[in-house]
Amino acid sequence: MDFLFQSHGLYIGIIALFGLIVGSFLNVVIYRLPKMLEQQWKQECHECFEEFPAPTEQKAFNLSIPGSHCPSCKKPVKPIDNVPVLSWLLLRGKCKHCSAKISARYPMIELLTAATVGVTAWVIPGSWWSLAVVFATFALIALFFIDFDTMLLPDQITLPLMWQVF
Ligand SMILES: [Zn+2]
């Protein structure tokens, strides 16, 4: 990792670019993790108490399944149309197939993630500690938006943060 830590400018650039890609993944986490939890809770309620109906949604649903698709026409999004920020700009915020509007929130979260970890890398020059803070920043961004949307702070994100020594 020393090559990464040697030049401060290069480190900031690589971390910001990495942030753009992770930001794209955070969009998936922010959208899907609360839904996955809800499905899991319904399943657990159903297993413990017969009066709770079985969850109707039986299809596999996690961070990787189903693949990225348009919520409106259900057509899969090709990797080329899934490039952080750029694809949204090129498609003018619309689905390629059905022209349904794609929220500007997705590229905004990608840019926010890139900018926040870019600043982190600028303030804390390349080191393992800097990388740890970058990863904590990813977690905090996901937590912020999940909290904003659902008022949940999922254990899956908060508990691993405990082991980052603050
Ligand atoms: Zn569509």
Side-chain angles (χ1 to χ4, degrees):
M1 293 301 266
D2 281 346
F3 75 97
L4 185 63
F5 299 158
Q6 262 159 17
S7 156
H8 193 195
L10 182 73
Y11 179 67
I12 296 171
I14 289 177
I15 291 295
L17 200 66
F18 182 54
L20 213 51
I21 297 161
V22 174
S24 181
F25 173 67
L26 291 185
N27 276 318
V28 177
V29 174
I30 292 163
Y31 182 73
R32 292 193 183 182
L33 186 57
K35 291 187 193 300
M36 286 159 58
L37 289 174
E38 199 186 319
Q39 212 173 20
Q40 187 191 331
W41 294 330
K42 281 184 182 162
Q43 183 63 40
E44 282 167 8
C45 283
H46 173 66
E47 280 162 16
C48 296
F49 309 100
E50 9 185 272
E51 57 267 38
F52 277 96
T56 45
E57 196 67 48
Q58 291 294 352
K59 279 187 208 153
F61 184 82
N62 56 44
L63 291 181
S64 54
I65 301 170
S68 293
H69 61 277
C70 166
S72 179
C73 68
K74 314 282 178 213
K75 288 234 171 77
V77 178
K78 290 189 190 133
I80 188 76
D81 296 326
N82 212 359
V83 180
V85 183
L86 277 182
S87 293
W88 188 88
L89 289 174
L90 286 173
L91 295 169
R92 293 168 198 276
K94 285 180 187 148
C95 168
K96 204 177 195 176
H97 307 284
C98 69
S99 295
K101 206 168 170 286
I102 302 165
S103 170
R105 188 172 128 157
Y106 297 109
M108 294 304 281
I109 289 179
E110 287 158 1
L111 280 177
L112 174 81
T113 310
T116 328
V117 292
V119 170
T120 306
W122 175 50
V123 175
I124 311 171
S127 59
W128 290 106
W129 168 242
S130 174
L131 282 181
V133 177
V134 163
F135 277 90
T137 308
F138 291 145
L140 291 175
I141 291 172
L143 284 173
F144 174 88
F145 284 99
I146 293 174
D147 189 13
F148 182 78
D149 288 345
T150 64
M151 291 181 73
L152 294 171
L153 292 171
D155 289 351
Q156 287 86 338
I157 306 178
T158 56
L159 295 185
L161 280 182
M162 277 175 35
W163 310 112
Q164 292 223 339
V165 186
F166 282 111

